[in-house]
Amino acid sequence: MTVRAVVAPVVVPVVAPVAAPVLTAVVTATPEARGVERVRVVLRRLGTEYVDEHVRVEVSVAGAGAGAGDWARLGDVLHAESAVPWHAMRLGARYPGALVVAAHHGGVCRVRMGPRGTALVLRTALPAWGARGARPGVPWPVWASLAHSFLVAGLPPRGLAGVRVVCGVGVRLGW
């Protein structure tokens, strides 16, 4: 599966205002095993490119160690479907080798980023009719991979709050 994404600042950020130049990203995910993907993210900003490759692992909430096996211990990015607010922090403590841990449910994704466990909450923008629990257009695991790439590139984690992602096959990236 290949996800191509164009990332650019939005007028109304989700969490906090972030003044940032236009950022372009291409995210490619290659399945390795069930719930395990090798991900490559190329970020381009102001003529500089950052390439990040990492392993993204889906961890089950019910047996957060049971079904994950060695993959969770090897994962750089872990994600789980969970509405529990503290789940990302708990998974981060259980698997300290993961740079990014995301627990997502519906329109909310709680992310623990970096070795200090910086917390970030991402929310989908609600449609005009105000549907509750709307899922993002771009899956939360892709956002978790973008968070990993931001950290590796030295970009501020809160910068994720000010990006808009447009996905689709054949998106022109202009490079």
Side-chain angles (χ1 to χ4, degrees):
M1 172 182 98
T2 300
V3 176
R4 294 185 181 134
V6 177
V7 182
V10 291
V11 179
V12 182
V14 179
V15 176
V18 177
V22 173
L23 177 68
T24 305
V26 177
V27 182
T28 306
T30 306
E32 288 292 320
R34 185 176 181 188
V36 179
E37 296 172 304
R38 189 171 16 154
V39 179
R40 183 172 198 256
V41 180
V42 179
L43 297 174
R44 185 173 191 194
R45 179 179 158 202
L46 297 175
T48 303
E49 284 188 1
Y50 305 95
V51 178
D52 172 34
E53 294 183 351
H54 58 268
V55 175
R56 183 172 65 208
V57 180
E58 180 178 2
V59 181
S60 86
V61 173
D70 290 334
W71 284 110
R73 288 192 251 330
L74 298 173
D76 304 301
V77 174
L78 303 179
H79 67 95
E81 178 78 26
S82 174
V84 179
W86 44 261
H87 196 79
M89 291 301 194
R90 186 175 186 188
L91 279 175
R94 178 171 277 155
Y95 301 107
L99 189 59
V100 173
V101 179
H104 48 86
H105 182 73
V108 178
C109 183
R110 290 174 177 83
V111 183
R112 186 217 56 137
M113 302 172 69
R116 290 188 218 134
T118 302
L120 183 66
V121 177
L122 299 173
R123 297 179 191 279
T124 57
L126 292 177
W129 59 88
R132 295 184 63 99
R135 293 191 175 272
V138 176
W140 288 126
V142 174
W143 281 100
S145 286
L146 285 170
H148 186 276
S149 299
F150 265 56
L151 287 173
V152 170
L155 300 172
R158 292 225 171 251
L160 280 172
V163 298
R164 176 179 58 90
V165 179
V166 180
C167 276
V169 177
V171 173
R172 290 199 59 162
L173 299 175
W175 40 325

